[in-house]
Amino acid sequence: MTLLSVENLGARHGLLQAVREMSFEVSEGETLALVGANGAGKTTLLRAIAGAHRPSEGRVVFDGQDITAMPAYNRVRRGIALVPEGRKLFGHMTVEENLRVAGAAHREGRWTVDEVFDTFPLLQPLRGRKAALLSGGEQQATAIGRALMTNPKLLLLDEVSLGLAPNVVQTVYDSVARLIEGGTTIVLVEQDLARALAVASRVICMLEGRLVLEGAASSVTREQVTEAYFGLRGAAA
Amino acid sequence: MINAIIQGILLGGVYALLACGLSLMFGVMRIINLAHGSLALLGAYMTLLVVEHTSLGSYAALVIVLPGALVVGYVLQRSMLERSRRAGELVPLLTTFGLLIVIGNLLEHFFSPDTQSLPAGGIGTSSLHISSSISIGWFDVLTLAVAVAVIGGLQLMLSRTQFGREIRATSYDADTVELMGVNARAVYARATAIAVATAALAGVFYAMRSAFDPTSGGSELIYAFEAVVIGGLGSLWGTLAGGIVLGVAQTVGAQIDVRYFALAGHVVFLAVLIVRAIALANGIRLWGAASA
């Protein structure tokens, strides 16, 4: 069943057209990886889906409802959660307070503060520590946990490995893999092709705001994605 | 001198009460509300209206006035301040300055420029005589107790409740908090409603303490602003300390010469500003924090 439908979506940053005529669907339980070079429009697309960036054209349909004009907080209450690039934690608040803020979504589900600490055991001893004092990996775990606290139907992950040490990235992706196993629908933006292809069931490659490659992660080769990534091919797989 | 210090501490209660709403609004929205004193004065006039037209006393009238102030604050934020805030840092200053003038003129039109006062009841004139030179007015003790209770309550609300967490998160990053399901504009409106209600409460206590007229909002704003700056912008307990420092400075100044009452407070305020500027230039962190 289709959970998210993006139809001819466009988004601008002033005069710059960051996203052009993007159309794709995400089914329930699916993991979609959005890959592309810096400036390809991946983050803008993710933010437009989450309601943090107003699209210039097209529409976003979630769970059967057109949410294009819906403010971000209402989208969260309907079941879309974004882990933003750079984590964006509330640095002056503790880990536990960061998690509890997301209780504002008032969505029923399995995710509670204790459930997040069970999923990310490294956070348990840090629950009273200010978020600004955490390491990069701890911050990323908190950011993912905070998004999960909204009990989302769709989780949007924006560059969760950015700026993290390789062993920390592995820890973060282990937790993402557990979420996928648990049936969470995920759209993730990732620069690391190998990681994206390893966890995703489907992949979309963007170039200069456009979709240039789309296919099942098992059917597209790394070479195909790399060529699309650098603009060496333009056809869908 | 001891009596002057005690009276100053008690006087600080009314300044802290006046200042905590100003501090809350700055802490959450980074808005310096120049109409804060006028909103306090509006609370006093509304109480006067209730007292004159009903059988209620000044304290009982708060049951009507405070909910009214909450509504005024909420509507004010949604209709004017929210638009101003989005238009840039300077615009809320201009908007609230305009509001200060409008409220002052409306009060003058409807209540005349005459001086008014609010009855403080029996507690207003009773006091505890400790020695021949020291006596403590029960009304002043009540004012300080109300200030401590309000500031303590606000602090508890900010640190222990979901709404408090939402306020603190919104003050830190209003865009990100919306991605957590929080309606930042509604948070701002509720925070302003609380700030205006505390202003109205302070205005009532101020009006029971001294005579007031439609131009009194300006001096109320100055004292509140000085208390906030002395205690540290956005810090509620700092605001209480700031109010007390200001009150003590004024009463000690008056002890030296009665004409130095207001001047002594302004001098302390200026001294704190200079110390803060020097500390800022040298990268030294002082008391008070710029977040609620």
Side-chain angles (χ1 to χ4, degrees):
Chain A
M1 184 190 161
T2 301
L3 184 63
L4 175 75
S5 178
V6 173
E7 300 170 9
N8 292 314
L9 199 75
R12 291 176 170 276
H13 289 290
L15 293 175
L16 176 75
Q17 182 87 40
V19 176
R20 303 160 192 262
E21 298 167 356
M22 281 294 294
S23 293
F24 62 90
E25 290 185 344
V26 180
S27 301
E28 264 182 45
E30 189 178 25
T31 302
L32 172 70
L34 287 172
V35 298
N38 274 337
K42 310 181 296 293
T43 292
T44 305
L45 174 60
L46 222 53
R47 289 174 59 78
I49 295 169
H53 192 102
R54 187 188 295 267
S56 53
E57 57 262 326
R59 61 184 208 137
V60 179
V61 178
F62 178 71
D63 214 7
Q65 186 185 359
D66 186 343
I67 59 165
T68 315
M70 190 180 277
Y73 65 87
N74 268 340
R75 296 188 196 205
V76 178
R77 292 172 188 180
R78 287 197 59 81
I80 299 179
L82 170 67
V83 178
E85 185 181 358
R87 278 88 77 172
K88 306 274 186 177
L89 293 177
F90 308 116
H92 66 316
M93 296 168 74
T94 66
V95 169
E96 185 171 345
E97 286 176 328
N98 266 275
L99 299 180
R100 289 196 185 279
V101 166
H106 300 300
R107 285 180 55 80
E108 293 294 316
R110 65 177 272 231
W111 291 102
T112 60
V113 171
D114 290 336
E115 185 70 28
V116 170
F117 287 142
D118 285 345
T119 306
F120 301 99
L122 79 165
L123 295 180
Q124 178 74 47
L126 305 170
R127 63 193 301 161
R129 186 172 294 181
K130 293 254 166 51
L133 303 176
L134 301 177
S135 69
E138 292 160 354
Q139 287 194 353
Q140 194 58 269
T142 307
I144 295 172
R146 187 180 61 175
L148 292 173
M149 280 290 291
T150 66
N151 282 297
K153 287 183 185 170
L154 173 66
L155 182 62
L156 309 171
L157 301 172
D158 194 359
E159 307 259 17
V160 287
S161 64
L162 196 68
L164 301 181
N167 60 327
V168 180
V169 172
Q170 188 55 50
T171 307
V172 170
Y173 265 90
D174 286 346
S175 60
V176 171
R178 285 199 298 277
L179 295 176
I180 293 167
E181 283 168 19
T184 308
T185 309
I186 293 176
V187 176
L188 67 95
V189 161
E190 185 52 81
Q191 296 247 12
D192 185 335
L193 282 181
R195 290 214 178 270
L197 292 172
V199 297
S201 50
R202 201 153 56 90
V203 63
I204 283 178
C205 187
M206 291 178 71
L207 179 72
E208 295 174 351
R210 285 197 172 87
L211 188 157
V212 288
L213 177 76
E214 180 178 11
S218 55
S219 66
V220 294
T221 64
R222 192 165 173 182
E223 287 68 34
Q224 283 176 307
V225 179
T226 306
E227 284 176 8
Y229 193 100
F230 292 109
L232 302 175
R233 57 176 285 140
Chain B
M1 185 58 80
I2 293 171
N3 187 49
I5 291 170
I6 291 171
Q7 300 309 323
I9 291 169
L10 295 172
L11 178 60
V14 76
Y15 294 153
L17 203 51
L18 266 172
C20 64
L22 198 65
S23 184
L24 184 69
M25 280 191 72
F26 180 80
V28 178
M29 286 165 280
R30 300 292 183 267
I31 287 179
I32 296 172
N33 179 12
L34 295 181
H36 190 77
S38 302
L39 290 165
L41 196 61
L42 188 63
Y45 273 101
M46 290 305 109
T47 305
L48 185 68
L49 207 61
V50 174
V51 168
E52 283 180 349
H53 291 87
T54 68
S55 57
L56 297 174
S58 299
Y59 301 104
L62 288 171
V63 175
I64 297 170
V65 171
L66 292 185
L70 284 170
V71 173
V72 167
Y74 193 93
V75 171
L76 192 65
Q77 177 66 30
R78 294 307 286 245
S79 61
M80 287 173 63
L81 297 181
E82 180 57 37
R83 293 162 205 264
S84 305
R85 194 185 61 80
R86 277 183 279 142
E89 286 181 4
L90 190 62
V91 180
L93 276 177
L94 297 172
T95 307
T96 54
F97 182 67
L99 194 61
L100 177 154
I101 293 169
V102 169
I103 291 174
N105 281 287
L106 284 175
L107 291 176
E108 199 166 304
H109 178 76
F110 288 107
F111 292 93
S112 85
D114 296 343
T115 301
Q116 311 275 359
S117 65
L118 273 179
I123 199 173
T125 51
S126 62
S127 58
L128 175 68
H129 294 278
I130 294 172
S131 71
S132 59
S133 60
I134 300 175
S135 69
I136 297 172
W138 284 116
F139 176 75
D140 296 334
V141 173
L142 175 69
T143 308
L144 183 62
V146 169
V148 171
V150 167
I151 288 173
L154 284 176
Q155 196 65 57
L156 268 178
M157 183 267 288
L158 286 172
S159 59
R160 299 284 171 84
T161 68
Q162 175 65 15
F163 178 51
R165 283 189 287 272
E166 289 175 16
I167 285 184
R168 286 158 59 214
T170 305
S171 74
Y172 191 83
D173 187 342
D175 292 331
T176 300
V177 85
E178 296 230 340
L179 296 171
M180 304 301 122
V182 177
N183 180 352
R185 289 183 194 180
V187 169
Y188 286 148
R190 282 182 272 165
T192 304
I194 293 169
V196 172
T198 64
L201 181 66
V204 171
F205 274 88
Y206 188 89
M208 285 194 281
R209 184 186 177 88
S210 50
F212 61 97
D213 62 56
T215 62
S216 302
S219 60
E220 290 188 35
L221 171 70
I222 288 172
Y223 293 147
F225 189 68
E226 288 181 345
V228 169
V229 170
I230 291 170
L233 279 167
S235 161
L236 285 171
W237 287 119
T239 299
L240 178 66
I244 289 172
V245 168
L246 181 65
V248 170
Q250 289 181 341
T251 51
V252 169
Q255 184 80 5
I256 297 164
D257 187 318
V258 74
R259 292 172 300 172
Y260 294 161
F261 176 82
L263 181 66
H266 298 329
V267 168
V268 169
F269 165 70
L270 203 59
V272 169
L273 268 187
I274 292 168
V275 169
R276 281 189 181 280
I278 292 170
L280 193 66
N282 292 287
I284 302 167
R285 186 177 163 78
L286 291 177
W287 67 93
S291 65

